[in-house]
Amino acid sequence: GVKSSGKVVYFTSLFPYAVLVLLACRGFTLPGAIDGIQYYLSPDWSRLTNPEVWVDAATQVIFSLGPACGCVITLSSYNRFDRNCHKDAVLVALSNSVTSLFSGLVVFSILGFMAHVSEKDVKDVISPGPGLAFIVYPEVVSRIPGSQLWAALFFLMLITLALGSIFGAFETVITALSDQWPALRAFKPQVVLITSFIMLVLGLPFCCNGGIHMFTLFNASAPSWNLLLFALLEVVLVSWVYGVDKFLDNLSEMDINLPAPVKFYWKYSWKYTTPAILGVLLVFSWYDFGHVGYNGVAYPFWVQILGYMITGCTLIALPIVGGCEVVKRYPETTEIFSSLIKPTHQWGPNHYQSCDNTEEKMQQSLP
């Protein structure tokens, strides 16, 4: 459950920082480390004209922070009503950026050592994709004195990072199943075991000889432009359909009092800036979609079609659920569209359920 996984996350979140600090202490003292750090901190500004860089950056932000994936909404639903989620969001975003910068320094300091030992340029020892973590970096670690210790720490860090990441995603699946079929809540241990076993079986093909090709296809297709579309739909629905002013009022109901400049920033970011940026990036991602390959060699056409189908599987629920809701409401009202975009009568702060005048306060909270 959330309580037990929350306790485990303390370890899976903090242990990688400890390993990074140890790797930094060792990596910064290696010969050639300064060359790797200089390469890391010397940007190629011409790359900013490549739309693929911006699309990859936006996708990475979604991966790192978890919006549009369900994890954030699922885990936040277990918080207290008056939890200051605004402060949490800002703190997580800042710590994520600082961690990424520090991790890059550690990685490139050791890559600089690799380049120094092999008498190559830093750019020649860099391998994009999973090869950096599972091929290049382990090879570098094996050349450091005391390599057995550093290799064990490095892969233990990867495992804890993977566990920390999967906890949120896995809890999202379990919570969705429990919310859809409340009877399953009485059998949560069995649901967790069965779901884990199914995911284990589905993941076995990735461990076969051709697993890297399956991984590459899924990595490029499952989380691709669909994440940008989900994020765009979410921000448009909240800021334009529900109303950004109502949303800010809901934050005030949670005792989150934002200064006027901060409210102004979020209001115009949610209404204009963020939708515009996501819309442009979505178009760019469509233009470059369907060019999946490995080691510079594009996959055959039928594999590209399979990638389209993988992406489509993540989107098919939108029209299906929308169509079901339209059919469900058709006999009840002629104003189908307006009824679908209005909050229900049960919509309201969760803490009102414990109040004596629940119905009255719920009605007051409705727009």
Side-chain angles (χ1 to χ4, degrees), residues 217 221 289-293 297-310:
L217 181 62
S221 302
F289 186 66
H291 298 84
V292 186
V297 180
Y299 289 133
F301 178 74
W302 68 270
V303 177
Q304 308 293 344
I305 295 298
L306 183 60
Y308 286 119
M309 295 173 63
I310 293 173

PDB file of all heavy atoms in Angstrom, residues 217 221 289-293 297-310:
ATOM      1  N   LEU A 217      11.802  -0.089 -29.376  1.00  0.00           N
ATOM      2  CA  LEU A 217      10.505   0.199 -29.988  1.00  0.00           C
ATOM      3  C   LEU A 217       9.518   0.722 -28.951  1.00  0.00           C
ATOM      4  O   LEU A 217       8.832   1.731 -29.183  1.00  0.00           O
ATOM      5  CB  LEU A 217       9.957  -1.055 -30.665  1.00  0.00           C
ATOM      6  CG  LEU A 217       8.611  -0.890 -31.384  1.00  0.00           C
ATOM      7  CD1 LEU A 217       8.731   0.116 -32.527  1.00  0.00           C
ATOM      8  CD2 LEU A 217       8.110  -2.235 -31.898  1.00  0.00           C
ATOM      9  N   SER A 221       7.810   4.433 -28.646  1.00  0.00           N
ATOM     10  CA  SER A 221       6.404   4.454 -29.061  1.00  0.00           C
ATOM     11  C   SER A 221       5.439   4.600 -27.892  1.00  0.00           C
ATOM     12  O   SER A 221       4.483   5.387 -27.972  1.00  0.00           O
ATOM     13  CB  SER A 221       6.066   3.170 -29.830  1.00  0.00           C
ATOM     14  OG  SER A 221       6.900   3.022 -30.963  1.00  0.00           O
ATOM     15  N   PHE A 289       7.639  11.506 -36.028  1.00  0.00           N
ATOM     16  CA  PHE A 289       7.238  10.214 -35.477  1.00  0.00           C
ATOM     17  C   PHE A 289       7.350   9.123 -36.534  1.00  0.00           C
ATOM     18  O   PHE A 289       7.115   9.351 -37.717  1.00  0.00           O
ATOM     19  CB  PHE A 289       5.796  10.299 -34.978  1.00  0.00           C
ATOM     20  CG  PHE A 289       5.332   9.064 -34.249  1.00  0.00           C
ATOM     21  CD1 PHE A 289       5.898   8.712 -33.040  1.00  0.00           C
ATOM     22  CD2 PHE A 289       4.344   8.265 -34.776  1.00  0.00           C
ATOM     23  CE1 PHE A 289       5.476   7.583 -32.362  1.00  0.00           C
ATOM     24  CE2 PHE A 289       3.916   7.134 -34.112  1.00  0.00           C
ATOM     25  CZ  PHE A 289       4.475   6.799 -32.899  1.00  0.00           C
ATOM     26  N   GLY A 290       7.688   7.896 -36.096  1.00  0.00           N
ATOM     27  CA  GLY A 290       7.743   6.757 -37.000  1.00  0.00           C
ATOM     28  C   GLY A 290       9.103   6.526 -37.617  1.00  0.00           C
ATOM     29  O   GLY A 290       9.211   5.888 -38.659  1.00  0.00           O
ATOM     30  N   HIS A 291      10.177   7.045 -37.002  1.00  0.00           N
ATOM     31  CA  HIS A 291      11.532   6.831 -37.507  1.00  0.00           C
ATOM     32  C   HIS A 291      12.367   6.125 -36.433  1.00  0.00           C
ATOM     33  O   HIS A 291      13.453   6.573 -36.057  1.00  0.00           O
ATOM     34  CB  HIS A 291      12.186   8.161 -37.896  1.00  0.00           C
ATOM     35  CG  HIS A 291      11.470   8.880 -38.992  1.00  0.00           C
ATOM     36  ND1 HIS A 291      10.393   9.702 -38.770  1.00  0.00           N
ATOM     37  CD2 HIS A 291      11.666   8.886 -40.340  1.00  0.00           C
ATOM     38  CE1 HIS A 291       9.961  10.209 -39.916  1.00  0.00           C
ATOM     39  NE2 HIS A 291      10.709   9.729 -40.877  1.00  0.00           N
ATOM     40  N   VAL A 292      11.825   5.014 -35.925  1.00  0.00           N
ATOM     41  CA  VAL A 292      12.498   4.282 -34.852  1.00  0.00           C
ATOM     42  C   VAL A 292      13.589   3.396 -35.441  1.00  0.00           C
ATOM     43  O   VAL A 292      13.398   2.752 -36.479  1.00  0.00           O
ATOM     44  CB  VAL A 292      11.489   3.423 -34.066  1.00  0.00           C
ATOM     45  CG1 VAL A 292      12.172   2.777 -32.863  1.00  0.00           C
ATOM     46  CG2 VAL A 292      10.309   4.270 -33.616  1.00  0.00           C
ATOM     47  N   GLY A 293      14.735   3.366 -34.794  1.00  0.00           N
ATOM     48  CA  GLY A 293      15.842   2.529 -35.238  1.00  0.00           C
ATOM     49  C   GLY A 293      16.796   2.251 -34.099  1.00  0.00           C
ATOM     50  O   GLY A 293      16.638   2.772 -32.981  1.00  0.00           O
ATOM     51  N   VAL A 297      20.332   2.482 -37.567  1.00  0.00           N
ATOM     52  CA  VAL A 297      19.663   1.723 -38.625  1.00  0.00           C
ATOM     53  C   VAL A 297      18.166   1.702 -38.338  1.00  0.00           C
ATOM     54  O   VAL A 297      17.742   1.238 -37.272  1.00  0.00           O
ATOM     55  CB  VAL A 297      20.211   0.280 -38.708  1.00  0.00           C
ATOM     56  CG1 VAL A 297      19.502  -0.497 -39.811  1.00  0.00           C
ATOM     57  CG2 VAL A 297      21.712   0.297 -38.947  1.00  0.00           C
ATOM     58  N   ALA A 298      17.365   2.210 -39.265  1.00  0.00           N
ATOM     59  CA  ALA A 298      15.916   2.273 -39.075  1.00  0.00           C
ATOM     60  C   ALA A 298      15.299   0.888 -39.181  1.00  0.00           C
ATOM     61  O   ALA A 298      15.753   0.043 -39.956  1.00  0.00           O
ATOM     62  CB  ALA A 298      15.283   3.212 -40.107  1.00  0.00           C
ATOM     63  N   TYR A 299      14.278   0.663 -38.398  1.00  0.00           N
ATOM     64  CA  TYR A 299      13.566  -0.607 -38.449  1.00  0.00           C
ATOM     65  C   TYR A 299      12.695  -0.680 -39.706  1.00  0.00           C
ATOM     66  O   TYR A 299      12.337   0.354 -40.287  1.00  0.00           O
ATOM     67  CB  TYR A 299      12.693  -0.772 -37.211  1.00  0.00           C
ATOM     68  CG  TYR A 299      13.473  -1.024 -35.949  1.00  0.00           C
ATOM     69  CD1 TYR A 299      13.193  -0.327 -34.778  1.00  0.00           C
ATOM     70  CD2 TYR A 299      14.488  -1.978 -35.909  1.00  0.00           C
ATOM     71  CE1 TYR A 299      13.896  -0.560 -33.606  1.00  0.00           C
ATOM     72  CE2 TYR A 299      15.200  -2.215 -34.746  1.00  0.00           C
ATOM     73  CZ  TYR A 299      14.907  -1.501 -33.607  1.00  0.00           C
ATOM     74  OH  TYR A 299      15.621  -1.742 -32.456  1.00  0.00           O
ATOM     75  N   PRO A 300      12.317  -1.900 -40.134  1.00  0.00           N
ATOM     76  CA  PRO A 300      11.454  -2.045 -41.314  1.00  0.00           C
ATOM     77  C   PRO A 300      10.110  -1.355 -41.123  1.00  0.00           C
ATOM     78  O   PRO A 300       9.716  -1.008 -40.005  1.00  0.00           O
ATOM     79  CB  PRO A 300      11.286  -3.568 -41.453  1.00  0.00           C
ATOM     80  CG  PRO A 300      12.437  -4.151 -40.705  1.00  0.00           C
ATOM     81  CD  PRO A 300      12.761  -3.194 -39.605  1.00  0.00           C
ATOM     82  N   PHE A 301       9.393  -1.217 -42.229  1.00  0.00           N
ATOM     83  CA  PHE A 301       8.121  -0.490 -42.210  1.00  0.00           C
ATOM     84  C   PHE A 301       7.107  -1.145 -41.275  1.00  0.00           C
ATOM     85  O   PHE A 301       6.378  -0.456 -40.558  1.00  0.00           O
ATOM     86  CB  PHE A 301       7.564  -0.410 -43.638  1.00  0.00           C
ATOM     87  CG  PHE A 301       6.237   0.290 -43.714  1.00  0.00           C
ATOM     88  CD1 PHE A 301       6.148   1.661 -43.576  1.00  0.00           C
ATOM     89  CD2 PHE A 301       5.069  -0.438 -43.925  1.00  0.00           C
ATOM     90  CE1 PHE A 301       4.920   2.308 -43.642  1.00  0.00           C
ATOM     91  CE2 PHE A 301       3.846   0.194 -44.000  1.00  0.00           C
ATOM     92  CZ  PHE A 301       3.775   1.573 -43.856  1.00  0.00           C
ATOM     93  N   TRP A 302       7.055  -2.491 -41.283  1.00  0.00           N
ATOM     94  CA  TRP A 302       6.065  -3.154 -40.441  1.00  0.00           C
ATOM     95  C   TRP A 302       6.347  -2.947 -38.959  1.00  0.00           C
ATOM     96  O   TRP A 302       5.422  -2.920 -38.131  1.00  0.00           O
ATOM     97  CB  TRP A 302       6.004  -4.648 -40.770  1.00  0.00           C
ATOM     98  CG  TRP A 302       7.238  -5.435 -40.390  1.00  0.00           C
ATOM     99  CD1 TRP A 302       8.344  -5.668 -41.147  1.00  0.00           C
ATOM    100  CD2 TRP A 302       7.462  -6.086 -39.128  1.00  0.00           C
ATOM    101  NE1 TRP A 302       9.256  -6.423 -40.453  1.00  0.00           N
ATOM    102  CE2 TRP A 302       8.743  -6.697 -39.210  1.00  0.00           C
ATOM    103  CE3 TRP A 302       6.734  -6.220 -37.950  1.00  0.00           C
ATOM    104  CZ2 TRP A 302       9.288  -7.415 -38.162  1.00  0.00           C
ATOM    105  CZ3 TRP A 302       7.275  -6.939 -36.898  1.00  0.00           C
ATOM    106  CH2 TRP A 302       8.534  -7.531 -37.017  1.00  0.00           C
ATOM    107  N   VAL A 303       7.619  -2.753 -38.602  1.00  0.00           N
ATOM    108  CA  VAL A 303       7.951  -2.456 -37.214  1.00  0.00           C
ATOM    109  C   VAL A 303       7.491  -1.042 -36.855  1.00  0.00           C
ATOM    110  O   VAL A 303       7.007  -0.792 -35.740  1.00  0.00           O
ATOM    111  CB  VAL A 303       9.460  -2.626 -36.978  1.00  0.00           C
ATOM    112  CG1 VAL A 303       9.830  -2.243 -35.540  1.00  0.00           C
ATOM    113  CG2 VAL A 303       9.893  -4.053 -37.261  1.00  0.00           C
ATOM    114  N   GLN A 304       7.627  -0.116 -37.812  1.00  0.00           N
ATOM    115  CA  GLN A 304       7.131   1.234 -37.565  1.00  0.00           C
ATOM    116  C   GLN A 304       5.620   1.228 -37.350  1.00  0.00           C
ATOM    117  O   GLN A 304       5.094   1.942 -36.477  1.00  0.00           O
ATOM    118  CB  GLN A 304       7.494   2.155 -38.744  1.00  0.00           C
ATOM    119  CG  GLN A 304       8.963   2.159 -39.143  1.00  0.00           C
ATOM    120  CD  GLN A 304       9.876   2.763 -38.098  1.00  0.00           C
ATOM    121  OE1 GLN A 304       9.431   3.449 -37.192  1.00  0.00           O
ATOM    122  NE2 GLN A 304      11.179   2.513 -38.212  1.00  0.00           N
ATOM    123  N   ILE A 305       4.911   0.402 -38.132  1.00  0.00           N
ATOM    124  CA  ILE A 305       3.466   0.277 -37.962  1.00  0.00           C
ATOM    125  C   ILE A 305       3.137  -0.291 -36.584  1.00  0.00           C
ATOM    126  O   ILE A 305       2.183   0.151 -35.922  1.00  0.00           O
ATOM    127  CB  ILE A 305       2.866  -0.623 -39.070  1.00  0.00           C
ATOM    128  CG1 ILE A 305       3.049   0.044 -40.437  1.00  0.00           C
ATOM    129  CG2 ILE A 305       1.392  -0.900 -38.805  1.00  0.00           C
ATOM    130  CD1 ILE A 305       2.341   1.387 -40.572  1.00  0.00           C
ATOM    131  N   LEU A 306       3.934  -1.257 -36.143  1.00  0.00           N
ATOM    132  CA  LEU A 306       3.744  -1.808 -34.803  1.00  0.00           C
ATOM    133  C   LEU A 306       3.927  -0.723 -33.746  1.00  0.00           C
ATOM    134  O   LEU A 306       3.216  -0.695 -32.732  1.00  0.00           O
ATOM    135  CB  LEU A 306       4.728  -2.957 -34.576  1.00  0.00           C
ATOM    136  CG  LEU A 306       4.620  -3.704 -33.237  1.00  0.00           C
ATOM    137  CD1 LEU A 306       3.245  -4.319 -33.078  1.00  0.00           C
ATOM    138  CD2 LEU A 306       5.700  -4.776 -33.143  1.00  0.00           C
ATOM    139  N   GLY A 307       4.871   0.180 -33.979  1.00  0.00           N
ATOM    140  CA  GLY A 307       5.056   1.304 -33.062  1.00  0.00           C
ATOM    141  C   GLY A 307       3.838   2.207 -33.019  1.00  0.00           C
ATOM    142  O   GLY A 307       3.427   2.664 -31.939  1.00  0.00           O
ATOM    143  N   TYR A 308       3.236   2.471 -34.200  1.00  0.00           N
ATOM    144  CA  TYR A 308       1.991   3.245 -34.233  1.00  0.00           C
ATOM    145  C   TYR A 308       0.909   2.561 -33.408  1.00  0.00           C
ATOM    146  O   TYR A 308       0.137   3.223 -32.694  1.00  0.00           O
ATOM    147  CB  TYR A 308       1.506   3.411 -35.677  1.00  0.00           C
ATOM    148  CG  TYR A 308       2.295   4.395 -36.498  1.00  0.00           C
ATOM    149  CD1 TYR A 308       2.958   3.983 -37.649  1.00  0.00           C
ATOM    150  CD2 TYR A 308       2.369   5.739 -36.137  1.00  0.00           C
ATOM    151  CE1 TYR A 308       3.683   4.885 -38.411  1.00  0.00           C
ATOM    152  CE2 TYR A 308       3.082   6.641 -36.902  1.00  0.00           C
ATOM    153  CZ  TYR A 308       3.742   6.213 -38.043  1.00  0.00           C
ATOM    154  OH  TYR A 308       4.463   7.098 -38.796  1.00  0.00           O
ATOM    155  N   MET A 309       0.820   1.233 -33.516  1.00  0.00           N
ATOM    156  CA  MET A 309      -0.204   0.494 -32.792  1.00  0.00           C
ATOM    157  C   MET A 309       0.037   0.564 -31.281  1.00  0.00           C
ATOM    158  O   MET A 309      -0.915   0.670 -30.498  1.00  0.00           O
ATOM    159  CB  MET A 309      -0.224  -0.961 -33.265  1.00  0.00           C
ATOM    160  CG  MET A 309      -0.630  -1.137 -34.717  1.00  0.00           C
ATOM    161  SD  MET A 309      -0.466  -2.847 -35.307  1.00  0.00           S
ATOM    162  CE  MET A 309      -1.635  -3.679 -34.241  1.00  0.00           C
ATOM    163  N   ILE A 310       1.308   0.516 -30.867  1.00  0.00           N
ATOM    164  CA  ILE A 310       1.626   0.626 -29.439  1.00  0.00           C
ATOM    165  C   ILE A 310       1.193   1.985 -28.907  1.00  0.00           C
ATOM    166  O   ILE A 310       0.588   2.092 -27.828  1.00  0.00           O
ATOM    167  CB  ILE A 310       3.130   0.402 -29.210  1.00  0.00           C
ATOM    168  CG1 ILE A 310       3.509  -1.046 -29.538  1.00  0.00           C
ATOM    169  CG2 ILE A 310       3.518   0.740 -27.770  1.00  0.00           C
ATOM    170  CD1 ILE A 310       5.000  -1.315 -29.511  1.00  0.00           C
TER     171      ILE A 310
END
